[in-house]
Amino acid sequence: MRHYADPVKPKYTISALMGNPVGTNDGIIFEFGDFEGTITYGLIPYNQVKHPLPIFRFTKEIVSGKVAVNIKNDFRYPYDFVAWKERAMLTIGYRLTSKTGSMVYDGEVGLTGTGPFKIAPAISEGPFISKVTDQEVTIWFHTTTSVKCAMEVDGKVITEPEAGTSHIFTITSLKSGRKYPYKVIYGDFSQQYEFTTAPKAGDRKPFVFGYCSDSRSATGGGERNIFGANVYVMKKIGALAQQQNVAFMQFTGDMINGYLNNKEEMLLQYTNWKKAVEPFWHYTPYYTTMGNHEALGYIFKDKAGSRVAFIDKFPYNTESAEAIFGQAFVNHENGPSGEDGSKYDPDLQNLDFPSYKENVYYYTYGNVAMVVLNSDYWFAPTLSGNVSTSGGLHAYIMDNQLKWLQEVISKLEKDKTIDHIFVT
């Protein structure tokens, strides 16, 4: 019997939800395609508070996918708390809620001028702190429009060679255990935060780190479900972690609802998760990996509409759950390459498995090592009921990953600077 994969028809895409904004004499016009619902919006007080978020003030109905925002009227004195009239620049934060009342996406748009207004770059995700060592840090973010960005750390400015919307800066030659202010510069705009480098290897001064998992959407409505992510609980976790002065956060899977058949909605759910902890991720590194809910694949159904198979999407290097996870996050890249060449490999000449890049890795902090595994690699949710679908089982460590784990553990056990090894 032959079955065909469900067609890929995303309900939402990030590009559509960004609204294709156009400046007008009075403000902005958004066009969200076929989205129906409301937009709630407000100014974002960047560089005025430690954790800047939109101060939502107005809600408007989106009609035939379009809505106009009147900045001159809505944010006149005394509501111009970012001094946009004097500075001739501002950033609007907005939230889209569907016609049925479900929150879908939080976005940003930058503007210059006092009328007419011109669309300017905004940071749509980030900046995020990652891969922190005693001498290096990686800072990454996305912008709404293509722009050449710069990073200022410790009086030194690094400028990108080319404009783009995805930006990654690796800052080197830093001192251990030191707090560094940093400034992200994008066009005429900038944001300022700070990070702290790790202590020297083997340092035994006590520290706190955070560990959690499972933040997919929950019952109760509101921010407990912003299209696939429990933003409400992640904000609380992020705030508690910040209050406890954690050195880093390790999040170990089931971040989103997942189980999708298209990468557009997968990336949107990841974005909603990232936005939940973004105000805290400006300062503290968050490390992530995959659980069973990070499943993305081909879904096959019979004539009655019942699911008969769900397998990891291919081509693996561009469409698999692992590839899209790597696209969404910036993690260490010191894990195994994949299961090609293992005893399971049916063809040594071709790519037959997804990559472990950025979903299997390890890192150290002082005298602690964290080894991050993917126990849902090449996951086929229907495998237990239909063994002919191929793919990996839930909670199963495959050959090359197991060999890598044994090698890493052996290496770390011989390292005299490491007293504690956590495998997650």
Side-chain angles (χ1 to χ4, degrees), residues 77-395:
Y77 178 85
Y79 306 112
D80 178 14
F81 53 83
V82 299
W84 67 264
K85 278 194 172 182
E86 289 77 13
R87 299 172 63 237
M89 55 194 299
L90 71 154
T91 304
I92 295 286
Y94 65 89
R95 172 169 291 174
L96 298 180
T97 303
S98 73
K99 201 171 184 179
T100 59
S102 297
M103 297 176 182
V104 176
Y105 176 71
D106 287 353
E108 296 82 11
V109 58
L111 294 153
T112 56
T114 58
F117 293 92
K118 183 179 179 181
I119 300 300
I123 293 183
S124 58
E125 294 183 20
F128 302 123
I129 301 298
S130 293
K131 301 200 290 188
V132 174
T133 73
D134 60 346
Q135 297 180 16
E136 293 186 6
V137 66
T138 296
I139 303 173
W140 56 286
F141 56 97
H142 300 293
T143 49
T144 54
T145 61
S146 182
V147 61
K148 183 187 289 190
C149 297
M151 184 71 60
E152 181 179 337
V153 179
D154 201 24
K156 300 176 182 178
V157 178
I158 304 171
T159 303
E160 291 178 310
E162 298 179 356
T165 56
S166 295
H167 313 272
I168 300 179
F169 289 84
T170 299
I171 316 300
T172 61
S173 302
L174 301 172
K175 295 180 180 179
S176 63
R178 179 176 164 183
K179 186 176 291 185
Y180 286 90
Y182 70 94
K183 179 189 288 188
V184 179
I185 303 165
Y186 50 108
D188 296 327
F189 294 73
S190 66
Q191 295 181 33
Q192 299 182 61
Y193 306 102
E194 61 187 30
F195 64 84
T196 303
T197 51
K200 290 183 178 180
D203 188 289
R204 287 167 174 81
K205 183 179 179 180
F207 67 90
V208 177
F209 71 86
Y211 179 92
C212 51
S213 64
D214 205 340
S215 57
R216 48 206 172 86
S217 64
T219 57
E223 289 192 341
R224 290 173 176 84
N225 180 11
I226 299 187
F227 194 65
N230 192 332
V231 172
Y232 175 83
V233 75
M234 285 310 303
K235 281 183 177 179
K236 286 186 172 294
I237 289 171
L240 176 61
Q242 189 84 29
Q243 188 270 335
Q244 292 293 318
N245 194 31
V246 299
F248 60 86
M249 288 288 294
Q250 176 62 55
F251 201 92
T252 310
D254 287 2
M255 307 165 67
I256 58 173
N257 278 11
Y259 284 98
L260 296 168
N261 72 342
N262 67 88
K263 63 183 179 182
E264 289 82 5
E265 290 186 2
M266 197 81 172
L267 288 169
L268 174 57
Q269 292 193 7
Y270 283 141
T271 290
N272 288 339
W273 189 92
K274 287 183 280 187
K275 297 291 283 186
V277 294
E278 180 182 83
F280 314 105
W281 204 342
H282 296 325
Y283 302 89
T284 303
Y286 279 64
Y287 301 108
T288 57
T289 193
M290 302 175 68
N292 61 291
H293 275 265
E294 279 65 62
L296 170 67
Y298 288 107
I299 300 174
F300 298 85
K301 295 181 179 179
D302 60 21
K303 292 182 178 180
S306 298
R307 190 177 71 176
V308 295
F310 187 136
I311 62 173
D312 201 3
K313 207 157 194 180
F314 54 84
Y316 294 130
N317 60 336
T318 58
E319 302 296 316
S320 65
E322 292 80 5
I324 302 308
F325 184 87
Q327 182 179 334
F329 297 95
V330 174
N331 289 314
H332 295 274
E333 299 180 26
N334 52 13
S337 60
E339 289 298 323
D340 283 278
S342 70
K343 63 184 179 183
Y344 307 104
D345 192 352
D347 183 356
L348 298 178
Q349 304 304 315
N350 292 298
L351 177 68
D352 301 303
F353 298 91
S355 173
Y356 282 125
K357 182 180 178 181
E358 296 184 86
N359 62 80
V360 177
Y361 55 92
Y362 79 95
Y363 58 95
T364 62
Y365 187 95
N367 64 337
V368 169
M370 184 73 68
V371 184
V372 181
L373 303 179
N374 181 356
S375 60
D376 289 286
Y377 172 76
W378 197 39
F379 182 40
T382 52
L383 182 60
S384 59
N386 187 346
V387 296
S388 64
T389 59
S390 77
L393 289 163
H394 173 46

Side-chain angles (χ1 to χ4, degrees), residues 22-30 41-43 58 60 68-77 79-80 82 84-85 89-92 109-119:
V22 175
T24 67
N25 284 330
D26 298 318
I28 327 164
I29 292 179
F30 290 96
Y41 58 93
L43 298 171
F58 299 99
K60 285 189 173 183
V69 171
N70 189 317
I71 292 171
K72 287 183 177 179
N73 182 67
D74 292 344
F75 302 109
R76 64 189 185 279
Y77 178 85
Y79 306 112
D80 178 14
V82 299
W84 67 264
K85 278 194 172 182
M89 55 194 299
L90 71 154
T91 304
I92 295 286
V109 58
L111 294 153
T112 56
T114 58
F117 293 92
K118 183 179 179 181
I119 300 300

Side-chain angles (χ1 to χ4, degrees), residues 392-418:
L393 289 163
H394 173 46
Y396 182 71
I397 304 298
M398 295 187 72
D399 191 51
N400 282 354
Q401 185 177 180
L402 181 59
K403 289 179 180 177
W404 173 83
L405 172 62
Q406 293 168 336
E407 291 170 358
V408 168
I409 294 296
S410 177
K411 174 184 176 182
L412 292 171
E413 287 177 339
K414 295 175 183 177
D415 188 338
K416 296 187 183 299
T417 67
I418 299 299

Side-chain angles (χ1 to χ4, degrees), residues 20-57:
N20 190 29
V22 175
T24 67
N25 284 330
D26 298 318
I28 327 164
I29 292 179
F30 290 96
E31 186 168 353
F32 296 107
D34 59 0
F35 182 85
E36 296 184 7
T38 61
I39 183 172
T40 302
Y41 58 93
L43 298 171
I44 306 178
Y46 289 128
N47 303 323
Q48 296 180 226
V49 294
K50 185 174 182 179
H51 304 295
L53 288 168
I55 300 176
F56 291 135
R57 178 167 172 79

